[in-house]
Amino acid sequence: MTDNVRHPNRDKPEARQTKAIVTLLLLISAALVAIITIGGWDKLQGAKPVDIFYVLVYLLFAYYAARWNRGVLPVASALAVILIIFCAVAGPAWFARDKTGFESPPIPEDLLGLLTLLLIPVSALLIVFAMRGFQQGWNIEAGSRADLEARGLLEPSGPASEPRPAP
């Protein structure tokens, strides 16, 4: 039995572009979270496991998205919504640390605040493109006629034959 399954929606330029953008946005998000985490490591209170989780999961999702797995797209969108909330709260807090009496992290607070706020539009774009990719049907398969006949789902009599019900 030959496996001639095609994914016709993956051949479209829009789908290829969306896959590349989603993968890139996941990698950018993971890099930004990693930079913020490393740069503010001593000053992060209780958020270290969450940050590490986001970096690892976004890298894993980028790998799966690059391999046309559309199942990670809604989960990536949900995590991006949560990340937007975290960034909206944490961004201004980094700027508030730029006063006397606070010990400075390895990366300046202003830069950490800017990177944190930059994650908001990156995450919003990730949501938009991930949902676009989810709607494109990357998982749709189209088998060849020979494959269907080999599986016994079509009679080999000709093009007008009707599909048989699966056993």
Side-chain angles (χ1 to χ4, degrees):
M1 179 173 9
T2 60
D3 190 20
N4 295 331
V5 176
R6 289 184 327 105
H7 295 89
N9 293 340
R10 295 180 185 178
D11 296 333
K12 297 177 182 175
E14 302 86 27
R16 289 178 182 268
Q17 180 184 33
T18 301
K19 178 186 83 154
I21 291 172
V22 167
T23 304
L24 181 66
L25 288 170
L26 284 165
L27 291 173
I28 289 171
S29 297
L32 285 172
V33 172
I35 291 168
I36 294 165
T37 303
I38 293 167
W41 185 262
D42 294 335
K43 307 305 169 225
L44 295 174
Q45 298 194 6
K48 294 173 189 173
V50 175
D51 291 352
I52 293 169
F53 167 80
Y54 264 95
V55 171
L56 294 176
V57 169
Y58 272 15
L59 290 174
L60 183 67
F61 284 1
Y63 169 76
Y64 281 122
R67 295 179 47 86
W68 292 103
N69 186 329
R70 111 183 223 259
V72 300
L73 299 179
V75 180
S77 294
L79 289 175
V81 168
I82 296 169
L83 188 59
I84 287 173
I85 295 168
F86 287 156
C87 291
V89 172
W94 282 116
F95 293 112
R97 293 187 55 84
D98 193 17
K99 294 182 178 60
T100 57
F102 286 106
E103 190 177 318
S104 293
I107 295 178
E109 293 92 345
D110 290 340
L111 181 57
L112 289 172
L114 178 66
L115 294 175
T116 303
L117 293 178
L118 182 63
L119 264 170
I120 294 173
V122 171
S123 296
L125 285 172
L126 175 60
I127 293 167
V128 169
F129 281 99
M131 290 298 94
R132 179 180 175 197
F134 191 74
Q135 292 173 345
Q136 290 174 341
W138 296 353
N139 61 327
I140 303 298
E141 297 177 350
S144 68
R145 178 163 193 84
D147 185 44
L148 293 174
E149 288 174 359
R151 292 182 188 187
L153 298 175
L154 284 179
E155 294 290 331
S157 62
S161 60
E162 294 292 320
R164 290 191 314 201

